[in-house]
Amino acid sequence: MSQIKVRFAPSPTGNLHVGNLRTALVNFLFARKTGGQFMLRIDDTDTERSTAAFEERIRADLQWMGMAWDVEDRQSKRLGRYDAALAQLRAKGRAYACYETPEELTLKRKAQLSAGRPPVYDRAALMLTSEQIAAFEAEGRQPHWRFRLEDDEVRWYDMVRGDVAYQMSSLSDPVLMREDGRVIYTLASVVDDIDHGISHILRGEDHVTNSAAQIQLFEALGAQAPTMGHMALLAGADGEGMSKRLGSMSIAELRNNDTEAMAIVSLLARIGTSDPVLPTADMATVIDGFDITRFGRATAKFDTAELSQVNAKIVQKLPFATVVERLEAAAVGGGEPFWNAIRDNLSYVGEAVDWWRICTQPITPIIDSAAVTNAAADLLPRGDVEASIWKEWTNAVASASGAKGRGLFMPLRLALTGCQKGPEIAPLLAFMGRERVLARLRGETA
RNA sequence: GUCCCGUUCGUCUAGGGGUCUAGGACACCGCCCUUUCACGGCGGCAACACGAGUUCGAAUCUCGUACGGGAUGCCA
């Protein structure tokens, strides 16, 4: 049994969105679950669109999400390997030079399309005479290189889709090298996977035709193709496809939105599977429960409302120690007692700020029942207000005003916090202080 | 246009000819708990895209239609 090794291979041409991130996560979880290695490979062969800034953002996002990679590499450092692989393919007659310009190819495609034929490359370059080639060269044209596909059926057992068969005759011979000598992803990816000993390729189903062609490429280079797995893509809540080219929800956006990384992990690890989404703050638990065979073939909808619910469940269980720095950074005081008083009612950690303000900054109280709030003001025990006075105090207010249940507590809640819902009030008293409590009960802004 | 893939409760899905009056999870609704909100516990509502066919019998098999996604790049 050879070593399991998977890779996440983003191109630094945009920000990670939830779809990309799910691919990364699935690879990460698969590696951790199987004791294999997780590699980060920067696919930066598209030099026109790749930027260092995007790359930094990708790394930051992965780290923030808790996906540490064991090894990394980048394609721009391995250019010589791709040239060598192309030479090898030429020697075997599997790579051939083409002289069409991009414009000519576009024209050809349009003609095929309007004639009702599939836009498959016609292999005209294979028919070129040496005179024609000489003429092109004299013109100053440099060739781009294509991989000659075998016209048979490529089959593989896909980890998520089961048996897959692909008719290669409906595919164009893929370009491997550009006219200017820069390698194309199709070749670079296969060479890297071979050299790095990648054992499993887990990616989105937008890559299935790539995989079909690449399986032949692996074989042409004398290697065995890794085990493949193509996950159904994610769609937005409205059913729209998700693509970095369409500018979908980025991770940075979610992060700014105060979403817990583990909420995203919890959802992404289970969406599209038959297992229930389990809000968990512990990556080890997610790894433990991960099973690649649970993923279905249908496109699942990623709903931010569901993410928000998962986030809330996680936040409500977060121990003070894990949020202390964030609370301090947001100028939320009160320490652990305050956090414990409010966390059960939070959906996002950032809401702690709102409650801290409500307790310590002036608010305009809402007087819903003056009878209750006046009685409460009159009956407030002497000395410091704190949680321990609550029971006795509210009992006294109840018997003085005749109010009880919701009729008793809602007026108090509205006067003291200005809100209809929120954490239990008793433990909040101490943070408000006696003067503020009294003033608010009397309807004064305090 | 062509080629792949998909379509079961609001959502994620189980299901691979009779055990399905279709199961679970989340959401929603209700009840209980709490003399308030939330949490928690219990219960309820709710789905096989459509049409043919095969079969004694179809959510399950076949074909077609519709809708959706993907691919069809000298992008990844």
Side-chain angles (χ1 to χ4, degrees):
Chain A
M1 208 29 136
S2 58
Q3 164 78 27
I4 286 180
K5 189 170 179 182
V6 294
R7 41 62 165 189
F8 176 56
S11 64
T13 56
N15 288 322
L16 254 29
H17 57 69
V18 293
N20 292 332
L21 205 77
R22 182 168 78 142
T23 301
L25 183 64
V26 165
N27 277 283
F28 171 79
L29 294 174
F30 182 74
R32 291 292 172 268
K33 177 77 182 227
T34 58
Q37 274 198 306
F38 176 56
M39 173 178 210
L40 172 65
R41 192 183 79 203
I42 304 295
D43 280 11
D44 55 354
T45 56
D46 183 350
T47 52
E48 280 148 29
R49 297 188 301 145
S50 297
T51 73
F54 280 134
E55 184 179 329
E56 259 330 291
R57 195 81 85 76
I58 289 169
R59 289 171 187 281
D61 286 346
L62 290 176
Q63 271 158 351
W64 177 67
M65 294 275 298
M67 290 185 254
W69 52 94
D70 305 303
V71 277
E72 72 169 83
D73 202 352
R74 62 189 322 112
Q75 297 191 321
S76 56
K77 282 166 58 179
R78 295 172 39 78
L79 270 18
R81 284 291 302 132
Y82 311 134
D83 291 337
L86 180 64
Q88 191 183 336
L89 292 167
R90 287 174 62 184
K92 294 176 87 169
R94 292 301 296 276
Y96 60 98
C98 301
Y99 290 87
E100 296 92 345
T101 63
E103 295 72 33
E104 286 168 350
L105 289 172
T106 306
L107 235 53
K108 225 179 238 190
R109 264 192 296 275
K110 278 184 183 165
Q112 288 171 313
L113 243 25
S114 54
R117 281 177 292 132
V120 175
Y121 177 62
D122 60 9
R123 292 180 166 167
L126 249 17
M127 314 299 175
L128 258 25
T129 62
S130 44
E131 289 77 31
Q132 288 173 305
I133 292 174
F136 280 134
E137 304 264 329
E139 234 177 80
R141 285 203 198 186
Q142 291 297 310
H144 58 276
W145 297 85
R146 286 188 191 260
F147 176 58
R148 188 172 54 73
L149 294 171
E150 304 275 18
D151 277 351
D152 55 4
E153 191 179 59
V154 170
R155 298 173 161 281
W156 72 91
Y157 182 78
D158 194 287
M159 277 191 285
V160 346
R161 323 176 99 207
D163 286 312
V164 176
Y166 223 88
Q167 244 346 301
M168 302 308 277
S169 55
S170 62
L171 262 46
S172 292
D173 288 338
V175 173
L176 301 178
M177 194 74 77
R178 295 172 171 93
E179 178 189 336
D180 63 9
R182 284 150 60 218
V183 70
I184 293 288
Y185 158 82
T186 308
L187 208 215
S189 182
V190 168
V191 172
D192 287 346
D193 289 337
I194 293 171
D195 289 355
H196 288 304
I198 297 300
S199 64
H200 299 257
I201 297 178
L202 301 170
R203 67 218 305 202
E205 73 176 6
D206 52 335
H207 279 282
V208 294
T209 51
N210 281 145
S211 290
Q214 288 179 324
I215 283 173
Q216 287 200 352
L217 201 40
F218 274 105
E219 287 162 1
L221 288 169
Q224 196 187 4
T227 304
M228 305 280 186
H230 297 86
M231 335 248 329
L233 268 20
L234 250 27
D238 52 4
E240 290 294 301
M242 206 171 285
S243 158
K244 68 180 171 189
R245 272 151 250 175
L246 293 175
S248 303
M249 182 181 353
S250 72
I251 299 311
E253 187 181 323
L254 254 19
R255 186 177 177 175
N256 288 337
N257 192 31
D258 199 31
T259 307
E260 300 301 311
M262 283 308 295
I264 303 173
V265 168
S266 297
L267 219 206
L268 252 24
R270 289 292 176 80
I271 193 169
T273 75
S274 47
D275 294 321
V277 174
L278 237 49
T280 167
D282 175 30
M283 184 64 94
T285 306
V286 178
I287 291 167
D288 197 50
F290 178 77
D291 184 351
I292 185 75
T293 68
R294 301 285 198 168
F295 284 84
R297 295 114 298 205
T299 57
K301 294 191 181 82
F302 179 87
D303 189 353
T304 48
E306 189 173 7
L307 179 62
S308 187
Q309 284 155 1
V310 172
N311 198 75
K313 299 273 192 200
I314 288 177
V315 168
Q316 287 159 8
K317 295 270 190 305
L318 245 28
F320 177 67
T322 67
V323 291
V324 57
E325 285 172 19
R326 290 159 70 189
L327 294 179
E328 282 169 3
V332 173
E336 186 160 6
F338 183 70
W339 173 250
N340 289 341
I342 61 168
R343 84 176 165 176
D344 279 351
N345 282 76
L346 303 182
S347 291
Y348 290 89
V349 171
E351 290 167 8
V353 176
D354 303 331
W355 288 105
W356 183 245
R357 286 213 189 99
I358 285 169
C359 290
T360 62
Q361 304 287 316
I363 61 154
T364 304
I366 297 169
I367 301 303
D368 182 55
S369 165
V372 171
T373 47
N374 285 337
D378 294 342
L379 293 165
L380 187 65
R382 298 186 179 284
D384 291 339
V385 291
E386 53 184 49
S388 61
I389 68 165
W390 182 255
K391 185 91 175 173
E392 202 176 327
W393 178 40
T394 53
N395 272 147
V397 175
S399 45
S401 66
K404 60 176 183 176
R406 187 184 172 84
L408 168 67
F409 290 98
M410 193 50 78
L412 292 177
R413 177 176 291 285
L414 287 169
L416 260 18
T417 69
C419 298
Q420 283 192 38
K421 40 166 69 176
E424 238 179 283
I425 300 170
L428 259 29
L429 255 24
F431 301 103
M432 295 180 183
R434 182 182 179 82
E435 293 314 308
R436 205 181 293 280
V437 168
L438 269 178
R440 287 178 181 179
L441 288 171
R442 295 200 164 110
E444 298 160 17
T445 295

